[in-house]
């Protein structure tokens, strides 16, 4: 490994092979972290887009109606009264 001394001149650092390998691992770790964050942000964007589309098509309203204990049908008032 060559360490700069402030100008164009450089000198050899003892044990440079181990330091160079460590520096390479730190750079590789940064690349992996960047890739993981990019994938996570992309997954968030895709999930929000799918939720937007489901809301736009009325799928979320349909799920809420199906999950309601009393829908707007003939037995809704009876269901409310018996509650």
């Amino acid at each position: 490994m060559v360490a700069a001394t402030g100008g164009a001149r450089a000198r050899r650092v003892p044990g440079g092979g181990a330091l160079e390998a460590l520096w390479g691992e730190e750079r590789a770790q940064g690349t992996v972290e960047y890739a993981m964050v990019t994938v996570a942000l992309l997954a968030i964007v895709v999930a929000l887009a799918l939720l937007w589309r489901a809301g736009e098509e009325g799928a979320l309203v349909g799920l809420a109606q199906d999950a309601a204990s009393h829908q707007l049908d003939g037995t809704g008032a009876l269901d409310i009264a018996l509650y």
Side-chain angles (χ1 to χ4, degrees):
M1 181 169 147
V2 178
T5 58
R9 296 177 49 180
R11 63 181 176 87
R12 266 290 307 141
V13 176
L19 291 175
E20 191 171 300
L22 181 62
W23 176 250
E25 288 178 8
E26 288 177 4
R27 288 179 40 201
Q29 180 182 354
T31 303
V32 170
E33 288 174 359
Y34 178 78
M36 291 174 62
V37 168
T38 302
V39 169
L41 290 176
L42 183 64
I44 290 170
V45 169
V46 169
L48 288 174
L50 291 174
L51 280 173
W52 183 277
R53 181 167 296 219
E56 195 173 60
E57 294 174 353
L60 297 177
V61 173
L63 288 172
Q65 282 180 340
D66 291 342
S69 65
H70 47 277
Q71 297 179 4
L72 298 175
D73 58 2
T75 61
L78 179 63
D79 186 31
I80 291 172
L82 291 175
Y83 180 68

